Structure formats: C-alpha cells, structure tokens
Amino acid sequence: MAEARGAEETAEGTSTADRGVGGTAGASVVLVCTGNICRSVMAERVLRSRLAAEGIEAIVDSAGISDEESGNPIDPRAVRVLTEAGYDTADHAARQITAEWLGERDLALAMTQRHRAALERLVADLPAERRPEIRMFRSFDPAAAGLTGTELDVADPWYGDQAGFTTTLEQVEAAVPAIVEEIRARRSA
C-alpha cells in the first residue's frame, strides 16, 4: 500500500487518506451504491470498458453497502441500457462491501452522500495506511463542478422506469473520463 499523503476533505468530495497506487501495475478502485445491482455495477462496467480501450490496467470492482441484493444479477433495466450502449453485463453477482475489502483498494467512489458516510464508518477502524481515498463518483463529472453534498449524488433509477437508467448511465459516462485520467495519474505517480 502507498503512503498516506493527507486526510483533508474538499468541496470536490475527497476525504480520508489520499493514497497513490501500491505495488501492482494499476490502481485499485471500488464503486459503491446501495445494493450493487444498478448504479455501482453500471459504473464498474463503463469504467472497465474505458480503461480497456485506453490500455490501462487497474483493479475495478463494485459493491453495495447493503446485503439485501447479495448474489443477485444486474437489474434487468440496467442490463438493457448497458447492452444498448455496448457494455458487457455478463457474470455479475451483487456483493456487500466490507472494511477488509476497502483496505485493499486505493480509491472508493460513492454514488451518494449516504454511501460515502457508510464507507467512512467502515474505514474508521482501519490503520491510516490502509484507508482508501473516498470520493463522490460525480465529483469527477465536469458538469458537477461546484456542486456539494447531496447535489453530487448519482440519480437512483431503482424506483423509476427505464428512463431513470438512461439518466444514470449518462451521469456515469460523464464522470468516467476524469476517473480514467485519475487512474492514469496514479499509475505514473
């Protein structure tokens, strides 16, 4: 694991230790939402696709703060919007995030302030050098510049119709290019 460089929180959504990439060829990122069947897995699939297109190696996975969907596949509405956009949707089983898992990642990207608070609680007992940097996913979206708090939440499509999943995918795709650049910078640090 890399050395901690600070624990300052900023308007952009950074918090806990700002860590670089440790030991492997790439960064390690976990994307987190509630049940790991909509937002976080959509972001995981988009990010993996973009990293592969750029030839960048990184560990990218996703999880939920809840275990209520554990073992379930991607929501069929998310599968539809991801497939239509050309992303892979195979082989997913929802999982719940743990402190140990977070301790193995350099960066944890929360879909909402509620998810971020849950991640902060999970890492509270980890040694500082094992805490990932925790950021809001949309803090990477140029259109979200200047937003704070719940304004940075990624829209929850669960309770809506197919259009909600399209909106979520648009928010995800808007943030991913800057996340790719963040991973690229961490790899060269």
Side-chain angles (χ1 to χ4, degrees):
M1 291 290 158
E3 263 183 18
R5 292 192 301 254
E8 205 171 313
E9 184 167 332
T10 70
E12 290 80 35
T14 58
S15 69
T16 63
D18 176 17
R19 297 168 25 158
V21 178
T24 63
S28 55
V29 182
V30 62
L31 303 125
V32 181
C33 70
T34 303
N36 190 219
I37 61 169
C38 297
R39 292 171 285 186
S40 62
V41 70
M42 290 173 73
E44 173 194 343
R45 297 312 167 102
V46 172
L47 181 56
R48 281 184 179 186
S49 175
R50 299 286 171 84
L51 289 168
E54 296 281 332
I56 300 171
E57 291 182 32
I59 295 169
V60 178
D61 51 15
S62 62
I65 60 170
S66 168
D67 68 351
E68 66 193 71
E69 298 289 348
S70 287
N72 288 338
I74 302 172
D75 184 287
R77 298 166 294 175
V79 168
R80 180 176 172 195
V81 74
L82 286 168
T83 302
E84 288 173 356
Y87 299 108
D88 176 41
T89 61
D91 303 321
H92 176 75
R95 301 179 292 170
Q96 183 180 23
I97 194 72
T98 65
E100 294 77 24
W101 186 348
L102 285 165
E104 295 172 358
R105 296 294 175 265
D106 297 308
L107 183 61
L109 300 179
M111 296 294 148
T112 69
Q113 286 294 331
R114 181 175 154 257
H115 303 137
R116 179 183 176 157
L119 294 175
E120 294 286 356
R121 286 189 301 274
L122 280 171
V123 301
D125 292 331
L126 290 176
E129 67 274 4
R130 290 200 56 224
R131 292 181 190 163
E133 177 183 0
I134 298 173
R135 290 187 65 174
M136 293 292 291
F137 183 86
R138 283 197 68 216
S139 70
F140 289 94
D141 179 353
L147 299 180
T148 60
T150 59
E151 295 173 322
L152 285 170
D153 287 0
V154 172
D156 186 355
W158 174 256
Y159 297 103
D161 58 14
Q162 192 66 43
F165 286 83
T166 300
T167 298
T168 298
L169 182 60
E170 290 168 355
Q171 289 180 331
V172 165
E173 288 180 324
V176 163
I179 296 168
V180 169
E181 291 309 312
E182 174 73 13
I183 292 170
R184 187 187 317 273
R186 287 169 178 262
R187 285 179 42 95
S188 61

